Amino acid sequence: MWRSVLGLIGLLTLALGQPVASSSPRPMQTPAHDTTTTQSISLPLFASLERLARLVDISYCIGSTGVSKPFRCVSWCSEFPTLSLVTTWNTGILLSDSCGYIAVDHGTQDNDMSAGSSPKGSSQGSIIVAFRGTYSLANTVIDLSTIPQTYIPYPSPDHGGKKPGKPEHECTNCTVHMGFLESWNNARKLVLPELETLRAQYPSYPIHLVGHSLGGSVACLAALEMKVSLGWNGIVVTTFGEPRVGNYQLSRFVDEMFDLDGDTGLEERSYRRVTHTSDPVPLLPLDEWGYRPHAGEIFISKKDLSPSETDVYLCVGDDDPSCSAGDDGSTQDKVRRLDYEVESAEIGGAVETSGIPTRFKLWELLFAHRDYFWRLGLCVPGGDPANWPQKGYDEQGSDEL
């Protein structure tokens, strides 16, 4: 309790304790999205991400109304007739509130398809692991202030590891957010045995890890263990609003393990870190606390729902100034602002705050942090009631998850 209060005070102190560049208010000038180093995504990738966002939203039913077999819930489950639920887990608040589900997507087949073609509506089978974010918005932010600890992606046999010795790849001088690692450690004993069984049953199915917010950071750590420690292939990760998991060395380790370096083949990356303009969580924990983002970013530049494929951009590197890093102006090159300004301008009788770096806009936890194609985290019929008229995008022709 007291640690949470102190963490919140620390964030606000950093936000309000910066020098004010001007004593008189002036309107904030927010430049349009810089497309000189990015490109918008294709419609098939857009459809895939939109679909995965709905699968993540379903995970918020766990701990409330629930998800049951074959694949039923009060949210989007009826939209996925090819999925069958395997299991759910909920470690509860005392065990870092790790929740999620595992399902098998049996895909669809078109008997008339010619070799090498990908007809409308067809998809390969896959194993889905969805990690839920936390219901406590305060904890989502305040827990970001915990002290990093040394990261070792290969637990010893005494701590649940199954392979003796070290793997081929090591994470040198890596540190990780203690709360995120604890959340994965509490979930792994429930998740990994199920996945081992499913891999034996469906050897050709890739494993898709998806997560929102805290669930995104847990998905990251889960993917690293599966790929590095267990040596599993066919791991694909898609996160929405993922916070920074560890230090610079850990972010580089993620880049190396998932081949995220370079500026080619961006749509084919096996790790997609989806961010949204004005969402503070991907910019936390702070640089000042030693945390850094990894690459694989896909940036939603449109403020309000619902975006189109022309509003979503492929980003290059760990801190692409055309994406969320430039949206905040908190990267080392300070592409937007050199000073943190707190200003206000009265417009039409309403007071509008401007100049506040995105990473300190804690009220956006209710909006931008949840607005990933849909407003996530509600677990109500059809998702967010404001979006009930909106149709899904599967019919557009996605050939992947």
Side-chain angles (χ1 to χ4, degrees):
M1 173 66 180
W2 286 110
R3 180 175 62 82
S4 297
V5 173
L6 291 174
L8 181 57
I9 292 173
L11 272 175
L12 295 177
T13 300
L14 280 171
L16 301 176
Q18 302 295 335
V20 178
S22 172
S23 59
S24 60
R26 56 185 172 86
M28 180 180 67
Q29 297 180 355
T30 303
H33 178 77
D34 179 8
T35 60
T36 57
T37 59
T38 59
Q39 64 185 59
S40 58
I41 66 174
S42 67
L43 187 56
L45 178 55
F46 180 87
S48 171
L49 296 175
E50 184 274 338
R51 184 175 191 265
L52 288 166
R54 283 183 282 157
L55 287 173
V56 167
D57 195 31
I58 290 171
S59 69
Y60 279 92
C61 294
I62 298 169
S64 56
T65 56
V67 182
S68 60
K69 295 181 178 181
F71 194 66
R72 295 194 182 97
C73 64
V74 300
S75 182
W76 299 104
C77 290
S78 61
E79 300 284 325
F80 301 96
T82 62
L83 264 66
S84 57
L85 180 67
V86 176
T87 189
T88 65
W89 76 89
N90 184 354
T91 61
I93 297 176
L94 295 180
L95 290 175
S96 300
D97 197 22
S98 178
C99 302
Y101 68 85
I102 301 174
V104 175
D105 185 354
H106 298 285
T108 58
Q109 297 293 331
D110 189 330
N111 295 329
D112 295 329
M113 62 183 289
S114 58
S117 67
S118 181
K120 178 178 178 180
S122 68
S123 63
Q124 69 177 105
S126 59
I127 300 168
I128 309 294
V129 186
F131 297 91
R132 197 198 78 184
T134 177
Y135 272 115
S136 172
L137 295 180
N139 287 344
T140 300
V141 175
I142 295 165
D143 284 352
L144 300 179
S145 64
T146 58
I147 299 174
Q149 69 177 54
T150 301
Y151 174 69
I152 302 176
Y154 33 88
S156 68
D158 293 337
H159 292 84
K162 294 191 175 182
K163 289 187 177 182
K166 296 181 179 180
E168 178 182 354
H169 303 282
E170 294 188 44
C171 195
T172 305
N173 297 324
C174 293
T175 61
V176 63
H177 183 282
M178 184 165 51
F180 298 162
L181 184 60
E182 181 184 6
S183 184
W184 166 236
N185 284 337
N186 289 325
R188 66 184 301 279
K189 66 191 71 167
L190 306 172
V191 172
L192 292 182
E194 294 285 357
L195 291 183
E196 287 189 350
T197 300
L198 291 173
R199 289 181 73 249
Q201 190 174 359
Y202 305 102
S204 65
Y205 284 14
I207 298 176
H208 286 262
L209 306 178
V210 296
H212 171 247
S213 191
L214 169 67
S217 62
V218 178
C220 177
L221 296 173
L224 282 177
E225 180 170 341
M226 293 174 195
K227 195 172 182 68
V228 179
S229 179
L230 299 177
W232 292 357
N233 296 317
I235 304 298
V236 182
V237 191
T238 307
T239 65
F240 302 89
E242 174 193 328
R244 298 171 177 182
V245 179
N247 65 352
Y248 172 77
Q249 288 82 357
L250 181 58
S251 71
R252 292 299 306 149
F253 189 63
V254 175
D255 294 347
E256 293 169 6
M257 292 301 97
F258 288 92
D259 297 320
L260 300 181
D261 290 324
D263 56 3
T264 60
L266 300 182
E267 288 218 356
E268 287 70 48
R269 292 179 294 197
S270 59
Y271 199 124
R272 291 86 64 94
R273 180 173 65 89
V274 186
T275 63
H276 183 235
T277 185
S278 296
D279 182 2
V281 173
L283 302 167
L284 296 171
L286 301 173
D287 289 351
E288 292 87 342
W289 295 340
Y291 290 86
R292 296 292 186 274
H294 61 78
E297 182 178 7
I298 297 177
F299 180 64
I300 302 174
S301 64
K302 183 179 180 181
K303 171 71 174 176
D304 301 318
L305 293 173
S306 297
S308 69
E309 69 275 10
T310 59
D311 301 314
V312 186
Y313 293 88
L314 298 163
C315 309
V316 178
D318 296 345
D319 275 311
D320 191 333
S322 299
C323 298
S324 62
D327 185 52
D328 183 57
S330 61
T331 57
Q332 293 180 356
D333 58 359
K334 305 296 181 185
V335 294
R336 284 272 184 96
R337 304 180 183 94
L338 295 177
D339 295 316
Y340 299 135
E341 302 173 81
V342 180
E343 302 174 345
S344 65
E346 189 166 347
I347 301 175
V351 174
E352 178 185 33
T353 59
S354 62
I356 300 177
T358 296
R359 56 184 178 157
F360 297 126
K361 295 179 179 178
L362 304 187
W363 61 89
E364 289 290 359
L365 288 169
L366 294 170
F367 305 103
H369 181 51
R370 291 178 177 259
D371 290 350
Y372 283 86
F373 301 96
W374 311 88
R375 181 153 293 168
L376 306 181
L378 298 181
C379 188
V380 296
D384 183 1
N387 292 328
W388 282 349
Q390 181 180 345
K391 300 294 183 181
Y393 294 90
D394 294 329
E395 67 271 14
Q396 302 282 1
S398 172
D399 61 356
E400 61 173 334
L401 247 185

